[in-house]
Amino acid sequence: MNNNKLSVLFLIDRTKQNKQNKCPIKCRLTFKGKRKQFSTGFFINPKDWKSKLQKGSPPNKNNNYINTQLSLIKQQINQAFLFLQVNNEQFDAEDIYLQLKGITRKKDKTILEVFQAHNDKVEKLIGKEYVLPTLWKYKQAKALLKDFISFHYKKNDFQFKDLEISFIKEYEFYLKTEKKLAQSSTYKAIQRFKRIVKIGLSEGYLDKDPFVMYTCKNPKTQIVYLDSNELAKLEEHSFAQTRLKQVRDMFIFCCYTGLAYAEMSALSSEHVIDGFDGNKWIKIHRKKTNVKVSVPLLPKALAILTSQNNISSNKLLPVISNQKFNSFLKEIAEIVGIEKRLTHHIARKTFATTVLLYNDVPMEVVSELLGHSKLDITQKHYAKVVQKKVSEHITLLARKLDK
């Protein structure tokens, strides 16, 4: 079958008869393996429709009129088809229909044009579906793509219809060599570009997905956290300097609450409430995902919160910049003898692993307490931790069964 040949087929829809028991006549265009079906606006008695002849029979006033109109529609379709052949390099069945109806053919879109339209929508949905950091990441991804198109193709933009797998491969190479991005950053940039390509596919700006035969390795990051011995060593150490003790206590507080730096810094009295169980709870929105988080205050966290209450600024914890906080943590790790590179984020990882998962708290509860938008995010990050815990349980079970 020649895909470049236009096929015009009239057919009736027997499932939609009107009050006069007549069926609508539809027209189906097939070109380059794709179809476009639309209503002709005419109805006929199903007994009178001769599919092989593509007309109504026997001859009568109504059938003759319908046959004339269908012939006229087919003639107009062929004229639209010839017009597109002469004036356009590429078009599909949808374009033929639009030309037939006198509607402006869908415009060939460029990659950066669609990327910008996507970012504009994200910006309008800040606070509703997205948070500001998400917009920043997509703006950065668009800027990287723009630089690549300028560098590699010496153009200001690139047509979606010309997009092929070679473009993506060259883009990955460019990110690693010219931009010197790490594998994780390269992967994220390409994943954001992939989202734009999906939009292009759904809108019909390109015919096939160039990502089908492409794979970008997603680096598996190792979860760094404090084990129970390291956490105890940190808790028990007596610091001579007040600033180090203060930072240590704030870090420990986050080890027992899972609060990220942004939430720790913003924590005020309005975020601490009396829970349904009679205990104190923290209720706060995560700035990264805008998800509401409810975390029960464990005794150690509550004790630290009480001792460090900074009433003068209405903050429950001292305000220290993230850079200084991590600088102090580096100093604390050297003093205590912890070889791991200590950062604030490790407190959140310690909460999820040593405090929760290693104490048999279910994964779905961990996900809820961390404020993850989806359970699979938690599972993806902490799968190995769970495997280790399962191994420990099986070892204990084996010992019991062996007795």
Side-chain angles (χ1 to χ4, degrees):
M1 182 179 177
N2 186 0
N3 284 337
N4 290 323
K5 184 179 179 181
L6 173 64
S7 169
V8 181
L9 179 69
F10 294 105
L11 61 159
I12 62 171
D13 189 347
R14 297 178 183 274
T15 64
K16 296 181 180 179
Q17 291 189 15
N18 61 17
K19 292 181 180 180
Q20 288 78 40
N21 295 319
K22 292 183 177 181
C23 298
I25 302 175
K26 295 191 173 182
C27 180
R28 178 188 294 165
L29 306 179
T30 305
F31 181 61
K32 291 185 176 180
K34 291 190 176 182
R35 292 176 174 179
K36 172 62 182 179
Q37 189 164 294
F38 61 93
S39 175
T40 64
F42 299 105
F43 290 78
I44 193 170
N45 189 315
K47 293 180 181 179
D48 290 352
W49 180 248
K50 308 304 176 185
S51 180
K52 289 185 178 180
L53 297 175
Q54 287 284 283
K55 67 178 183 178
S57 184
N60 56 43
K61 184 179 180 180
N62 184 63
N63 288 345
N64 290 344
Y65 175 75
I66 288 174
N67 292 340
T68 300
Q69 294 303 314
L70 295 184
S71 178
L72 182 59
I73 290 173
K74 188 169 184 179
Q75 183 181 343
Q76 291 171 340
I77 290 171
N78 285 325
Q79 287 176 348
F81 177 64
L82 288 171
F83 177 85
L84 292 175
Q85 279 187 316
V86 172
N87 292 280
N88 295 284
E89 295 180 2
Q90 293 184 0
F91 59 92
D92 56 23
E94 177 72 21
D95 294 320
I96 298 170
Y97 170 74
L98 293 175
Q99 182 64 35
L100 171 70
K101 293 297 180 181
I103 302 171
T104 304
R105 179 174 173 245
K106 66 177 184 286
K107 182 186 173 188
D108 288 330
K109 295 282 186 177
T110 62
I111 292 173
L112 296 180
E113 184 182 0
V114 176
F115 213 138
Q116 185 59 51
H118 167 271
N119 290 358
D120 290 342
K121 288 181 180 179
V122 170
E123 189 166 9
K124 290 178 181 178
L125 291 171
I126 295 295
K128 298 183 178 81
E129 291 184 24
Y130 300 98
V131 292
L132 194 57
T134 301
L135 176 62
W136 293 341
K137 289 171 185 176
Y138 274 107
K139 282 187 173 182
Q140 182 188 43
K142 178 178 176 280
L144 286 170
L145 197 59
K146 183 179 180 180
D147 289 348
F148 164 68
I149 293 170
S150 176
F151 175 85
H152 191 78
Y153 295 98
K154 305 296 187 275
K155 296 179 179 179
N156 294 324
D157 210 335
F158 196 89
Q159 291 287 333
F160 243 122
K161 66 181 182 180
D162 297 330
L163 186 61
E164 295 180 350
I165 190 172
S166 58
F167 180 100
I168 308 168
K169 289 180 177 179
E170 290 295 342
Y171 183 41
E172 180 185 356
F173 182 75
Y174 169 81
L175 292 174
K176 291 177 179 177
T177 56
E178 298 298 326
K179 292 296 184 180
K180 303 191 184 306
L181 296 187
Q183 182 62 36
S184 58
S185 299
T186 300
Y187 175 80
K188 288 174 183 177
I190 291 176
Q191 287 302 107
R192 288 172 188 130
F193 171 47
K194 187 177 182 180
R195 180 181 178 88
I196 306 304
V197 171
K198 284 186 176 180
I199 294 173
L201 283 166
S202 66
E203 295 293 334
Y205 303 142
L206 69 164
D207 296 326
K208 58 182 180 179
D209 186 357
F211 276 95
V212 170
M213 300 300 291
Y214 170 82
T215 303
C216 181
K217 292 181 181 179
N218 183 10
K220 295 181 179 179
T221 55
Q222 186 178 359
I223 298 295
V224 180
Y225 59 92
L226 299 184
D227 59 31
S228 55
N229 292 328
E230 291 168 328
L231 185 58
K233 186 188 292 187
L234 189 60
E235 289 179 38
E236 294 165 5
H237 190 89
S238 179
F239 289 93
Q241 296 184 47
T242 304
R243 64 179 174 86
L244 295 183
K245 179 183 181 302
Q246 196 175 60
V247 170
R248 184 275 310 271
D249 288 348
M250 292 166 70
F251 180 84
I252 295 296
F253 173 79
C254 292
C255 286
Y256 286 98
T257 60
L259 293 188
Y261 173 81
E263 288 71 63
M264 179 195 76
S265 300
L267 194 65
S268 63
S269 55
E270 67 183 55
H271 297 127
V272 179
I273 64 164
D274 292 320
F276 66 94
D277 54 2
N279 297 317
K280 295 287 185 182
W281 284 64
I282 292 176
K283 287 205 172 185
I284 194 169
H285 276 83
R286 281 205 73 202
K287 288 190 176 181
K288 183 178 179 180
T289 59
N290 202 31
V291 174
K292 190 174 183 180
V293 181
S294 297
V295 184
L297 273 170
L298 296 171
K300 289 185 178 180
L302 185 59
I304 291 171
L305 200 61
T306 304
S307 66
Q308 295 228 24
N309 191 357
N310 189 354
I311 302 172
S312 61
S313 63
N314 195 36
K315 299 289 184 182
L316 298 181
L317 294 167
V319 178
I320 305 173
S321 71
N322 197 10
Q323 186 178 5
K324 281 189 176 181
F325 195 94
N326 287 332
S327 177
F328 291 154
L329 283 177
K330 183 180 179 182
E331 193 175 344
I332 288 170
E334 291 176 358
I335 294 170
V336 177
I338 296 175
E339 295 182 0
K340 293 169 182 173
R341 183 174 174 270
L342 219 54
T343 64
H344 183 277
H345 198 57
I346 288 179
R348 184 170 166 80
K349 303 297 184 185
T350 302
F351 175 65
T353 53
T354 305
V355 176
L356 298 178
L357 289 172
Y358 282 158
N359 284 297
D360 300 324
V361 175
M363 182 70 80
E364 56 268 24
V365 177
V366 176
S367 183
E368 181 76 20
L369 293 174
L370 290 175
H372 284 165
S373 55
K374 295 178 182 178
L375 177 60
D376 59 1
I377 294 175
T378 318
Q379 291 171 329
K380 180 182 177 181
H381 282 82
Y382 297 99
K384 286 187 177 180
V385 177
V386 175
Q387 288 173 2
K388 184 178 178 182
K389 190 65 182 174
V390 169
S391 176
E392 290 175 2
H393 279 298
I394 293 299
T395 302
L396 290 172
L397 177 62
R399 288 174 184 171
K400 288 181 181 179
L401 295 175
D402 197 38
K403 288 181 180 178

